[in-house]
Amino acid sequence: TDRGMLTDFLFASFLPRRFYGGLRRYPEQQKFVTEWLETGRRGTLYCLDAACGTGEETYGLALLLSEHGFAPEDIQIKGWTLEPLEVWAAAHRRFPHDTRREALLRGATSALLQHGYDRCISFCCQDILKAPSPANLPLKNTGRGGNENNQFDLILCNGLLGGPII
């Protein structure tokens, strides 16, 4: 009958503390993306965080892009996961079962949201093995109203196969 205990139980059951780990936990991946950005990448970037979990690294990517001068209107970041509870936790930056982790994420991302980056980050339930065909994916914008290559510019996958993948 205690709603707080029920919430703690549900989140602890489906989002165990042993998973995930906060922002920027893959320094080699951050280094690779930074080097890739320093090759002169400009224009709108379409990014996918496949198997995004609760979204910490999705927000980490947005932070990295903002640090490299990309404005919210210059990026679109999609976070895909199979778990509806993870989508909710990511979209709301909420971890009712782990208030410390929630406070850390909210603190680390508050400036992003204040500057409008919440408009360019979205989360949904999507099986990467059953993803829409390239013609139906978010597309690279050529700036002329058309599309180029029908693909994401950058796809990250962290932890799904035991570590970061680019």
Side-chain angles (χ1 to χ4, degrees), residues 13-16 19-20 51-55 79-91 123-127:
S13 296
F14 293 103
L15 292 176
F19 295 138
Y20 321 110
C52 69
T54 54
W80 289 356
T81 181
L82 292 174
E83 300 298 330
L85 191 56
E86 289 179 331
V87 170
W88 182 89
F123 298 94
C124 71
C125 287
Q126 178 66 56
D127 184 339

Side-chain angles (χ1 to χ4, degrees), residues 57-136:
E57 290 301 323
T58 313
Y59 289 106
L61 177 59
L63 283 166
L64 183 66
L65 293 174
S66 72
E67 291 165 0
H68 281 83
F70 285 87
E73 58 273 9
D74 296 331
I75 57 176
Q76 287 293 315
I77 303 174
K78 308 292 182 188
W80 289 356
T81 181
L82 292 174
E83 300 298 330
L85 191 56
E86 289 179 331
V87 170
W88 182 89
H92 298 283
R93 299 176 306 136
R94 294 285 319 275
F95 307 111
H97 70 300
D98 193 338
T99 54
R100 180 181 173 278
R101 179 172 153 209
E102 180 177 313
L104 289 171
L105 178 62
R106 286 177 165 263
T109 59
S110 63
L112 274 178
L113 276 61
Q114 289 172 355
H115 291 99
Y117 285 86
D118 54 323
R119 295 187 313 261
C120 67
I121 302 170
S122 63
F123 298 94
C124 71
C125 287
Q126 178 66 56
D127 184 339
I128 60 174
L129 297 177
K130 297 177 183 172
S133 69
N136 296 322

Side-chain angles (χ1 to χ4, degrees), residues 145-162:
N147 297 306
E148 174 186 306
N149 298 331
N150 297 342
Q151 64 187 11
F152 287 104
D153 295 296
L154 179 67
I155 300 173
L156 305 180
C157 184
N158 294 309
L160 182 65
L161 300 174

